[in-house]
Amino acid sequence: VLQKWVNREISNFDYLIQLNTMAGRTYNDLAQYPVFPWILRDYTSEELDLNNPAVFRDLSKPIGVCSVYLHFFFFLRYENFEDPLGIIDKFHYGTHYSNAAGVMHYLIRVEPFTTLHIQLQSGRFDCADRQFHSIPATWQALMDNPNDVKELIPEFFYFPEFLENQNGFNLGQLQISKEVVNDVILPRWAHSPEDFIYKHRRALESEYVSAHLHEWIDLIFGYKQRGPAAVEALNVFY
């Protein structure tokens, strides 16, 4: 599979799906759901220029340290962490880049994930401000909030329906702006959910991502998962 990918006989998308499968990740287990990378960092421009390296996320870094502020935060957390009982090893992140709640968070508008989310939240929808309501706002939260290090799921590259509230669920309204949570707010460069998926998939298959995807794979599936290489890459999880 690696050789096919290097020879460009299979796409970046196909390669990631196959890696997830070989790693034991599957659509049948929310706790081991396939994981895909955030690949862009420009969610505000009117046009998306895939020839400009500045629009892409740095794939050599875990998503938690893609902002300079959080880079220092997590570095210091690891350096200063000490469990008085000596049981817990040092870590950068107390949460994870992929978990069942995160999958339900992204897919809240489509069944069976809506029902699973409601069950998780004791019979109701979670508070509107905590729901997935905007792609630009979700990215900004990753840049500002040390408690959120979620990567993406494959649906961001092929399934426009998850961005629409086609079932008309009452997802509440945001506390400050009083805005009703309905369809997911898209980046300015996307004119519809289908347009977002089309451009996002093109970004995944771009030259920049093809040249740097292996750096992210090293973090998630490769040698930077644990040990000294993980410490150096700020990639140690609780």
Side-chain angles (χ1 to χ4, degrees):
V1 172
L2 171 64
Q3 205 51 55
K4 277 187 170 179
W5 177 62
V6 169
N7 295 342
R8 305 218 169 182
E9 292 167 26
I10 59 173
S11 66
N12 292 338
F13 181 89
D14 287 336
Y15 186 47
L16 286 170
I17 284 287
Q18 297 212 40
L19 277 178
N20 272 284
T21 303
M22 283 185 261
R25 291 185 168 274
T26 167
Y27 287 107
N28 301 321
D29 182 354
L30 292 185
Q32 291 292 339
Y33 206 77
V35 57
F36 267 56
W38 283 91
I39 53 171
L40 296 170
R41 64 177 176 199
D42 180 359
Y43 297 95
T44 54
S45 298
E46 295 286 348
E47 298 291 330
L48 182 64
D49 179 8
L50 295 179
N51 294 317
N52 178 6
V55 306
F56 294 97
R57 165 240 180 131
D58 183 346
L59 288 160
S60 69
K61 294 178 179 175
I63 193 65
V65 294
C66 279
S67 80
V68 176
Y69 153 67
L70 290 178
H71 189 282
F72 286 111
F73 175 88
F74 287 119
F75 175 78
L76 291 173
R77 172 192 271 179
Y78 183 89
E79 291 301 311
N80 298 329
F81 181 82
E82 207 168 301
D83 176 20
L85 299 175
I87 298 168
I88 300 171
D89 292 332
K90 288 184 170 195
F91 61 87
H92 295 110
Y93 313 105
T95 177
H96 209 253
Y97 55 76
S98 171
N99 56 41
V103 176
M104 293 178 222
H105 174 76
Y106 286 138
L107 296 176
I108 188 173
R109 289 164 179 77
V110 289
E111 291 288 14
F113 305 98
T114 313
T115 298
L116 292 167
H117 168 89
I118 290 170
Q119 288 171 354
L120 183 71
Q121 297 296 331
S122 308
R124 57 185 170 73
F125 283 112
D126 193 9
C127 148
D129 288 75
R130 284 201 294 266
Q131 286 174 20
F132 175 49
H133 67 273
S134 160
I135 293 173
T138 301
W139 172 257
Q140 196 52 50
L142 284 171
M143 295 300 98
D144 301 336
N145 179 4
N147 298 317
D148 186 2
V149 295
K150 279 194 295 294
E151 291 280 10
L152 296 182
I153 53 176
E155 282 81 353
F156 274 83
F157 300 93
Y158 67 80
F159 185 50
E161 287 79 5
F162 89 102
L163 298 167
E164 299 175 285
N165 187 15
Q166 292 185 353
N167 293 313
F169 294 124
N170 178 6
L171 300 172
Q173 58 184 158
L174 304 180
Q175 286 177 331
I176 295 173
S177 67
K178 303 300 178 194
E179 186 183 348
V180 173
V181 175
N182 193 24
D183 294 347
V184 176
I185 296 167
L186 303 172
R188 289 165 67 183
W189 44 258
H191 307 301
S192 66
E194 290 77 12
D195 189 46
F196 170 80
I197 296 292
Y198 171 71
K199 288 173 178 168
H200 203 215
R201 183 71 169 262
R202 277 189 62 202
L204 178 65
E205 302 302 339
S206 67
E207 281 302 318
Y208 179 90
V209 174
S210 297
H212 293 277
L213 188 58
H214 66 281
E215 296 170 343
W216 181 82
I217 288 168
D218 287 340
L219 295 168
I220 305 296
F221 300 106
Y223 76 103
K224 292 184 180 177
Q225 289 179 83
R226 25 176 93 86
V231 175
E232 193 178 335
L234 275 69
N235 196 40
V236 180
F237 291 82
Y238 171 69

